[in-house]
Amino acid sequence: LAKTTQPISMDSYEGQEVNITCSHNNIATNDYITWYQQFPSQGPRFIIQGYKTKVTNEVASLFIPADRKSSTLSLPRVSLSDTAVYYCLVGDSHSGGYQKVTFGTGTKLQVIP
Amino acid sequence: DTEVTQTPKHLVMGMTNKKSLKCEQHMGHRAMYWYKQKAKKPPELMFVYSYEKLSINESVPSRFSPECPNSSLLNLHLHALQPEDSALYLCASSQARVNNSPLHFGNGTRLTVT
């Protein structure tokens, strides 16, 4: 499984755009990149997933360069409620029909008023 | 609210007790997972079930015994636990045989072993 590396923590003021970068140098051809958000005492929640280039949904954008060795999660205009831990995961579907994914250390984002 | 329901939310048990954690989902997902999360650490995979069959056991001690009685339910039976087993236990599910189906997590059971 590809190992991911993220900053341990980040601070941002409310209303700013936040970019969290994840390194995954040994990503495999079939691997997708998935980001989860976790609040204290809750389970992780899926945010966004991509394979290459750019993906955007209602909460975030994901930028993946051509070599796919890194990815950047972009959160537009963060609010205090975006304070959470953000995990970058890299993995592929197993032939047995499940996802074998390993969580990295995650990035603790603190949004400041 | 999540679509994966875990009960109980909190559990305190002694080292000689036997207890069970329960997880239920009605999304038709045929892959189900148990993760363990210690404070300020990422979730660690324990077990994976696919189509009600155990597919992965990440070398988990036998005092943890998983069970998948049907496609909607996943149990984790606990016996003779140690204080270091205190953690947040997370259940998740995903669509089987769908490439890169995201995991849907419950909010976990906070387990304290005394």
Side-chain angles (χ1 to χ4, degrees):
Chain A
L1 294 172
K3 179 179 166 60
T4 59
T5 303
Q6 305 173 233
I8 295 296
S9 64
M10 295 179 68
D11 291 340
S12 175
Y13 288 101
E14 273 191 294
Q16 290 191 329
E17 178 184 74
V18 170
N19 296 309
I20 306 174
T21 297
C22 178
S23 296
H24 28 80
N25 290 318
N26 59 341
I27 188 169
T29 303
N30 294 332
D31 285 346
Y32 275 66
I33 299 149
T34 309
W35 286 79
Y36 289 82
Q37 174 193 56
Q38 187 177 25
F39 299 113
S41 297
Q42 292 188 22
R45 183 174 70 102
F46 170 81
I47 302 175
I48 197 166
Q49 182 182 76
Y51 182 79
K52 61 180 179 180
T53 64
K54 177 184 174 182
V55 179
T56 298
N57 62 22
E58 62 275 9
V59 297
S61 294
L62 179 59
F63 299 91
I64 306 167
D67 66 5
R68 304 200 329 119
K69 293 183 184 299
S70 66
S71 58
T72 299
L73 174 72
S74 181
L75 304 172
R77 298 179 299 281
V78 294
S79 64
L80 295 176
S81 62
D82 293 316
T83 294
V85 177
Y86 291 83
Y87 292 101
C88 164
L89 281 69
V90 173
D92 183 23
S93 301
H94 188 276
S95 59
Y98 55 85
Q99 315 296 329
K100 185 168 184 188
V101 293
T102 301
F103 283 79
T105 55
T107 297
K108 181 171 171 53
L109 172 66
Q110 181 69 51
V111 179
I112 306 163
Chain B
D1 288 348
T2 71
E3 296 166 303
V4 176
T5 304
Q6 291 188 244
T7 56
K9 288 183 170 29
H10 301 273
L11 178 63
V12 180
M13 62 184 290
M15 290 187 284
T16 59
N17 291 159
K18 287 185 181 181
K19 295 287 185 182
S20 296
L21 308 185
K22 296 186 183 301
C23 174
E24 188 169 4
Q25 58 87 16
H26 294 288
M27 294 178 282
H29 292 173
R30 301 302 294 275
M32 297 187 77
Y33 311 75
W34 281 114
Y35 282 82
K36 172 183 176 179
Q37 187 173 29
K38 301 282 277 185
K40 300 188 187 304
K41 297 291 187 184
E44 298 176 18
L45 182 64
M46 300 174 72
F47 302 104
V48 180
Y49 274 84
S50 179
Y51 291 89
E52 295 85 68
K53 294 195 187 308
L54 184 64
S55 298
I56 293 181
N57 176 341
E58 292 285 78
S59 303
V60 178
S62 60
R63 57 186 183 268
F64 295 90
S65 176
E67 178 196 21
C68 190
N70 62 54
S71 59
S72 300
L73 294 175
L74 186 66
N75 299 321
L76 186 62
H77 302 298
L78 314 172
H79 174 55
L81 294 194
Q82 304 297 311
E84 58 265 29
D85 295 322
S86 298
L88 182 67
Y89 287 84
L90 294 163
C91 173
S93 68
S94 68
Q95 290 181 294
R97 307 199 188 286
V98 172
N99 281 345
N100 303 291
S101 170
L103 272 61
H104 295 249
F105 284 86
N107 282 330
T109 293
R110 176 74 61 190
L111 174 68
T112 302
V113 182
T114 61

